[in-house]
């Protein structure tokens, strides 16, 4: 089955990408200190926020309308071309604004920690990053898993090669990582642009673009609130703590990234399959619950396993100045895991084209996260930030579930879902108890392995992870 093959390719790609990230950490942390990583974090932050805000989520419109006009690629070409031309124009105009305001941004937002020149480079980095996401979504929609894997691996390979060269032969520190990131993105996007040239023409269709705009406009408030949420904790850490604290927080995210990659691998098969079946059956599913629980059970199991052994990974792969990150990783993983539950809700909302429902979800997200950050970060630093992160994610998850069901009702047992989360939280408490207590290494490893096997047993015994279920089964 195509979905099985594609998912295995996505999964393998995620594993290789995570492996590359881990094996380079000992080298990077040897030559870069926590302050360097803090600068890199702020560089990436501005890139992601600026590019995401300007894009108004047009890549989602392109993804959605690919399935709607799959049988009429000439019309889809008009949609795709109009979206890309709009993005190029809006980024060009914004680049001019950034050029003249970079000094102000450096001073007011980042306390001059990153220079105006880096602000400008960060903006263009975000531009290339967004178009990488845009074209990757198209590869995903077309179910071209091998090409997707190639480009997903090309970017980190180029990043590593360029960064290592600049570290060893040009004696650069954080700039080596920034330049490696920037040029690897640029090269990859230019190749993708050539690949998709057949689906692009240099012509803008205002009437066609209206459909994309109609789909994306409700996401603008969500994008504004979402990027406020994404940046607020890091800016608060920058202003009320130290760059080292920001680095520990960011490293927690980096060590949790393999779970995000695994989640993405599943979602790249789940989302197209869900939308195709929804279109085929007019939104009717006989049994969506079983494959859904199968998917999130696997994701949560991998998440728990990585959480339990994140302490050993942090100590093994980084210098001592980075070891405090071991307390951040499990909380950040839990935050990502909670996001996997939203895959169902967001697919429901996207199918129903009720993107306006993402606005109240974003409002709840920002209000809960910002208020918790203001309360906890000045007192607890990076620990407060990660507590705020997964606590607000729980609140948002409930909101997403409500609006997902309102958009497209599916038979989901709420008590079963709550029980699933409670079980994971119990094991998370056990993990933090082990982290905070100094016990013998061998005994701690035995306890961790035992806990993981008990968790797996519970998933199978309670039929969350049912071996008889085919995750990729199509709804009849």
């Amino acid at each position: 089955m195509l979905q099985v093959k594609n998912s295995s390719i996505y999964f393998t790609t995620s594993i290789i990408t995570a492996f590359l990230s881990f094996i380079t950490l000992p080298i990077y942390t040897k030559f870069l200190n926590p302050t360097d990583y803090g600068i890199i974090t702020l560089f990436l932050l501005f890139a992601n926020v600026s590019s995401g805000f300007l894009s108004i989520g047009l890549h989602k419109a392109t993804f959605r309308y690919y399935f709607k006009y799959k049988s009429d690629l000439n019309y889809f070409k008009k949609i795709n071309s109009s979206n890309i031309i709009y993005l190029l124009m809006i980024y060009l105009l914004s680049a001019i604004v950034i050029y003249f305001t970079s000094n102000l941004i450096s001073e007011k937002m980042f306390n001059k920690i990153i220079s105006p020149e880096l602000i400008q480079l960060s903006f263009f980095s975000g531009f290339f990053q967004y178009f990488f996401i845009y074209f990757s979504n198209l590869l995903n929609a077309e179910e071209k898993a091998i090409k997707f894997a190639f480009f997903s691996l090309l970017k980190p390979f180029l990043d590593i090669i360029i960064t290592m060269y600049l570290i060893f032969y040009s004696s650069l520190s954080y700039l080596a990582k920034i330049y490696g990131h920037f040029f690897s993105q640029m090269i990859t996007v230019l190749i993708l642009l050539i690949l998709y040239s057949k689906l692009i023409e240099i012509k803008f269709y205002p009437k066609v673009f209206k459909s994309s705009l109609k789909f994306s406009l409700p996401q603008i408030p969500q994008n504004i609130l979402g990027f406020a949420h994404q940046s607020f904790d890091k800016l608060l850490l920058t202003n009320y703590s130290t760059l080292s604290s920001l680095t520990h927080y960011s490293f927690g995210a980096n060590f949790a990234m393999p779970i995000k990659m695994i989640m993405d691998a599943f979602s790249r098969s789940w989302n197209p399959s869900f939308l195709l079946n929804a279109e085929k059956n007019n939104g009717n599913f006989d049994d969506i619950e079983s494959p859904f629980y199968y998917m999130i059970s696997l994701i949560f199991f991998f998440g728990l396993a990585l959480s339990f052994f994140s302490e050993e990974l942090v100590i093994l792969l980084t210098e001592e100045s980075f070891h405090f990150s071991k307390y951040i990783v499990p909380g950040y993983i839990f935050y990502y895991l909670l996001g996997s539950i939203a895959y169902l809700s967001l697919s429901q909302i996207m199918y129903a084209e009720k993107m306006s429902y993402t606005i109240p979800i974003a409002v709840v997200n920002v209000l809960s996260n910002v208020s918790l950050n203001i309360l906890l970060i000045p007192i607890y630093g990076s620990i407060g930030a990660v507590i705020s992160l997964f606590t607000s994610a729980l609140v948002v998850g409930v909101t997403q579930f409500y609006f997902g069901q309102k958009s497209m009702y599916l038979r989901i047992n709420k008590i079963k879902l709550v029980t699933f989360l409670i079980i994971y939280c119990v094991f998370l408490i056990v993990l933090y108890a082990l982290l905070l207590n100094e016990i013998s290494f061998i005994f701690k490893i035995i306890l961790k392995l035992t806990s993981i096997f008990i968790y797996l047993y519970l998933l199978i015994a309670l039929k969350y992870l049912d071996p008889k279920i085919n995750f990729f089964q199509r709804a009849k």
Side-chain angles (χ1 to χ4, degrees):
M1 187 181 286
L2 181 62
Q3 286 93 340
V4 176
K5 179 184 176 182
N6 285 351
S7 187
S8 64
I9 293 172
Y10 295 141
F11 185 80
T12 303
T13 303
S14 298
I15 295 297
I16 295 172
T17 306
F19 177 73
L20 290 172
S21 177
F22 279 131
I23 62 171
T24 53
L25 265 180
I27 300 173
Y28 290 157
T29 56
K30 184 177 179 63
F31 289 93
L32 305 178
N33 58 44
T35 300
D36 291 330
Y37 267 100
I39 294 171
I40 294 167
T41 300
L42 294 177
F43 176 89
L44 297 176
L45 171 66
F46 185 74
N48 293 334
V49 170
S50 60
S51 64
F53 172 73
L54 293 170
S55 70
I56 66 171
L58 280 177
H59 65 289
K60 294 179 183 178
T62 303
F63 183 82
R64 175 66 185 94
Y65 289 129
Y66 175 82
F67 294 99
K68 194 167 186 176
Y69 300 108
K70 191 175 182 180
S71 58
D72 187 0
L73 286 181
N74 285 328
Y75 188 79
F76 174 75
K77 182 178 181 179
K78 294 179 180 180
I79 294 176
N80 188 45
S81 301
S82 299
N83 289 350
I84 290 175
I85 290 171
Y86 168 83
L87 288 168
L88 289 173
M89 291 302 298
I90 202 72
Y91 276 118
L92 177 62
L93 293 172
S94 300
I96 297 171
V97 175
I98 293 295
Y99 177 79
F100 288 106
T101 60
S102 55
N103 281 289
L104 185 65
I105 295 170
S106 174
E107 181 181 352
K108 299 299 182 182
M109 287 186 65
F110 301 110
N111 286 334
K112 297 184 178 180
I113 293 172
I114 54 176
S115 67
E117 291 75 22
L118 279 183
I119 293 290
Q120 295 164 23
L121 186 64
S122 174
F123 176 80
F124 285 106
S125 177
F127 166 82
F128 287 117
Q129 176 64 23
Y130 181 77
F131 272 99
F132 177 77
I133 294 170
Y134 186 98
F135 289 122
S136 295
N137 267 19
L138 266 179
L139 288 171
N140 182 209
E142 293 175 326
E143 298 187 278
K144 294 180 178 179
I146 293 176
K147 287 184 179 179
F148 178 91
F150 172 78
F151 287 105
S152 295
L153 293 175
L154 176 64
K155 189 160 73 80
F157 268 114
L158 289 173
D159 190 337
I160 291 169
I161 292 169
I162 296 169
T163 301
M164 292 294 185
Y165 176 83
L166 293 174
I167 286 175
F168 289 111
Y169 293 99
S170 298
S171 301
L172 296 179
S173 56
Y174 65 86
L175 284 176
K177 195 80 178 71
I178 286 173
Y179 291 151
H181 180 76
F182 177 82
F183 286 111
S184 63
Q185 287 178 323
M186 184 178 69
I187 294 168
T188 308
V189 167
L190 289 176
I191 298 173
L192 280 166
L193 186 62
I194 294 170
L195 177 68
Y196 274 106
S197 59
K198 292 182 180 179
L199 280 178
I200 302 170
E201 57 180 319
I202 308 175
K203 189 173 182 180
F204 184 79
Y205 297 89
K207 291 183 179 180
V208 172
F209 182 67
K210 282 183 181 179
S211 60
S212 293
L213 202 59
K214 183 179 178 181
F215 184 91
S216 299
L217 277 177
Q219 299 178 75
I220 293 177
Q222 177 206 9
N223 288 344
I224 295 171
L225 294 170
F227 290 119
H229 161 252
Q230 181 184 343
S231 59
F232 187 77
D233 51 359
K234 297 177 180 67
L235 292 175
L236 210 59
L237 282 169
T238 302
N239 288 279
Y240 289 92
S241 189
T242 62
L243 276 182
S244 294
S245 182
L246 175 62
T247 297
H248 294 145
Y249 184 60
S250 300
F251 256 64
N254 290 339
F255 274 91
M257 191 54 67
I259 290 305
K260 183 66 167 64
M261 292 175 178
I262 290 171
M263 288 166 54
D264 288 345
F266 277 100
S267 72
R268 288 183 189 111
S269 290
W270 171 271
N271 291 337
S273 182
F274 184 98
L275 291 172
L276 283 170
N277 282 306
E279 290 285 353
K280 179 181 177 182
N281 300 312
N282 296 318
N284 296 314
F285 287 88
D286 289 338
D287 180 19
I288 196 68
E289 190 175 60
S290 298
F292 173 67
Y293 275 120
Y294 187 94
M295 174 180 71
I296 65 171
S297 293
L298 285 176
I299 292 171
F300 270 68
F301 173 73
F302 288 131
L304 189 78
L306 179 59
S307 295
F308 267 81
F309 287 99
S310 59
E311 177 184 15
E312 288 74 21
L313 285 171
V314 169
I315 293 172
L316 177 67
L317 296 174
T318 66
E319 298 292 310
E320 188 175 354
S321 57
F322 295 89
H323 287 180
F324 186 79
S325 300
K326 68 182 182 181
Y327 298 109
I328 307 296
V329 180
Y332 225 111
I333 288 175
F334 187 39
Y335 159 70
Y336 279 141
L337 294 176
L338 290 168
S340 70
I341 297 174
Y343 285 160
L344 181 62
S345 303
L346 295 177
S347 294
Q348 291 169 283
I349 292 170
M350 183 173 286
Y351 168 74
E353 297 186 27
K354 299 286 187 180
M355 300 309 289
S356 59
Y357 287 166
T358 60
I359 298 173
I361 294 171
V363 170
V364 170
N365 192 3
V366 171
L367 289 178
S368 58
N369 187 260
V370 167
S371 58
L372 286 168
N373 277 326
I374 292 173
L375 179 66
L376 298 176
I377 285 179
I379 303 172
Y380 302 109
S382 56
I383 293 292
V386 78
I387 292 173
S388 302
L389 199 63
F390 67 71
T391 303
S392 62
L394 278 170
V395 177
V396 172
V398 174
T399 311
Q400 286 175 324
F401 183 83
Y402 168 76
F403 282 105
Q405 289 293 84
K406 188 176 180 180
S407 303
M408 174 187 179
Y409 181 77
L410 297 173
R411 291 190 295 273
I412 301 292
N413 188 323
K414 301 178 185 66
I415 295 176
K416 187 176 181 180
L417 184 59
V418 171
T419 304
F420 179 83
L421 292 174
I422 290 173
I423 292 170
Y424 187 89
C425 288
V426 170
F427 282 88
L428 188 62
I429 292 169
V430 171
L431 170 58
Y432 272 104
L434 291 173
L435 285 174
L436 294 170
N437 286 279
E438 294 295 330
I439 57 178
S440 77
F441 176 76
I442 299 299
F443 185 52
K444 183 181 281 191
I445 294 296
I446 292 171
L447 287 175
K448 288 182 176 183
L449 287 172
T450 302
S451 298
I452 292 170
F453 281 115
I454 292 173
Y455 182 68
L456 179 60
Y457 171 77
L458 288 174
L459 289 178
I460 296 173
L462 296 174
K463 295 190 176 180
Y464 289 108
L465 187 59
D466 189 345
K468 296 178 183 178
I469 296 297
N470 179 2
F471 162 63
F472 301 100
Q473 69 186 21
R474 289 183 177 273
K476 301 292 184 182

